[in-house]
Amino acid sequence: MKRVLLLAILAMLSLPSFGWGQKGHDVTAYIAECNLKTRVRNKVTNILGGHSLVYYANWLDNASHTPEYEYTRTWHYANVDEGFTYETMDKLPEGDVITAIEDLTAKLKAGNLEPEKEKLYLMMLIHLVGDMHCPMHAGHRTDRGGNSVQIKFFNSPRKLHGIWDTDLVEAAHKWGYVDWQYQIDRSSKTTKRHIAEGPPEKWFNETHAIATQIYADTPEGTVVSYDYIAKYTPVIEDQLMRGGIRLAKILNDIYG
């Protein structure tokens, strides 16, 4: 019995990390939903079978582990090694988070999709815009987006990638996604228009700049504690808010 339990734990630990944890994706999706035009929100809800954006915000993390959707596993990130930019870095032939978002957006804008295909593309898009704003999903290929960087979160061994997916979000605020939206989605319409400007590659480059600073602040063996959480809580708030505003902009453009 102990052997079976140990193997199960090891199998879980070996899985690649995808994007924000559940809370981060829920927050991004809910902020997006709150910024949709009324007719767009009604249209999206209908496409999703009566469900909200939040309902499917984490769907692709699980789906990417199944044979049917294994082709999407590289879509959750784009790697940029030190000394490179996204433009100069070798691209993955299977695609990355930028190419996936651009392709899904184009297909949804073009229309004439079968209902199930439109729903599928929409579910993917909801998740991937969140992933684009998770800093370590713009990390180095050499360390698998921080998955090979061993640190400690207080006294617990962690990977740099993992604390940015989940631990730091949960440590920043003990809020549900509705509370997160209420507290951080307070920008003016003018500010939101500015945030939503630019193509996905511009948004990704902003995330990569944050990842570069994180690498500088969190070398191998770093013990992450209260000061680190205090420093990066505003960054987490900004990235979740930007992801939500930009997802809303994409959907308003597609269906508005």
Side-chain angles (χ1 to χ4, degrees):
M1 182 66 182
K2 290 182 179 180
R3 176 180 171 81
V4 172
L5 180 60
L6 177 60
L7 289 174
I9 292 172
L10 290 174
M12 291 174 64
L13 292 176
S14 68
L15 295 175
S17 297
F18 286 146
W20 297 115
Q22 181 172 342
K23 182 66 64 62
H25 278 292
D26 287 352
V27 173
T28 300
Y30 190 61
I31 289 174
E33 188 168 299
C34 291
N35 284 275
L36 293 178
K37 298 173 183 177
T38 301
R39 63 182 180 276
V40 174
R41 185 183 306 115
N42 293 338
K43 175 68 172 176
V44 168
T45 300
N46 183 59
I47 294 168
L48 296 176
H51 293 298
S52 69
L53 273 68
V54 176
Y55 188 88
Y56 287 112
N58 289 276
W59 172 82
L60 192 58
D61 272 349
N62 293 325
S64 293
H65 292 295
T66 66
E68 185 176 5
Y69 298 110
E70 188 174 8
Y71 66 90
T72 67
R73 292 185 70 141
T74 66
W75 293 8
H76 299 256
Y77 56 87
N79 293 133
V80 179
D81 284 333
E82 188 173 1
F84 290 84
T85 65
Y86 176 76
E87 292 77 10
T88 61
M89 188 75 185
D90 290 341
K91 304 299 187 293
L92 296 173
E94 301 88 351
D96 58 41
V97 69
I98 297 174
T99 59
I101 288 173
E102 291 176 339
D103 183 56
L104 292 168
T105 300
K107 287 177 177 176
L108 289 166
K109 276 187 176 180
N112 299 317
L113 295 168
E114 293 294 326
E116 284 304 309
K117 187 69 72 174
E118 184 172 18
K119 179 181 178 181
L120 174 65
Y121 291 164
L122 182 56
M123 292 190 299
M124 289 176 169
L125 185 62
I126 292 167
H127 183 85
L128 294 175
V129 174
D131 277 347
M132 176 177 279
H133 292 82
C134 187
M136 297 318 297
H137 284 247
H140 300 159
R141 188 175 299 169
T142 51
D143 58 35
R144 298 165 49 243
N147 270 303
S148 300
V149 180
Q150 302 295 325
I151 61 169
K152 283 191 174 183
F153 188 73
F154 293 92
N155 293 321
S156 299
R158 289 285 195 279
K159 300 173 182 178
L160 178 59
H161 188 114
I163 69 164
W164 272 94
D165 276 5
T166 302
D167 293 304
L168 291 176
V169 177
E170 296 293 350
H173 300 294
K174 300 299 183 184
W175 296 335
Y177 65 82
V178 175
D179 303 302
W180 271 92
Q181 183 276 330
Y182 178 77
Q183 297 295 341
I184 70 176
D185 183 18
R186 292 171 173 263
S187 299
S188 67
K189 290 183 178 179
T190 300
T191 299
K192 288 181 179 182
R193 283 197 296 269
H194 178 70
I195 290 169
E197 289 175 352
E201 187 173 334
K202 173 180 177 288
W203 307 338
F204 173 83
N205 286 334
E206 291 176 359
T207 304
H208 175 62
I210 295 169
T212 299
Q213 183 60 51
I214 291 169
Y215 277 117
D217 288 347
T218 328
E220 183 93 14
T222 296
V223 178
V224 171
S225 188
Y226 296 105
D227 55 343
Y228 190 100
I229 294 169
K231 176 177 180 176
Y232 279 108
T233 290
V235 174
I236 292 167
E237 293 172 356
D238 283 348
Q239 288 301 100
L240 293 176
M241 186 266 296
R242 289 171 182 166
I245 296 301
R246 288 163 176 171
L247 176 57
K249 173 63 162 55
I250 292 173
L251 297 179
N252 282 329
D253 284 349
I254 292 171
Y255 294 112

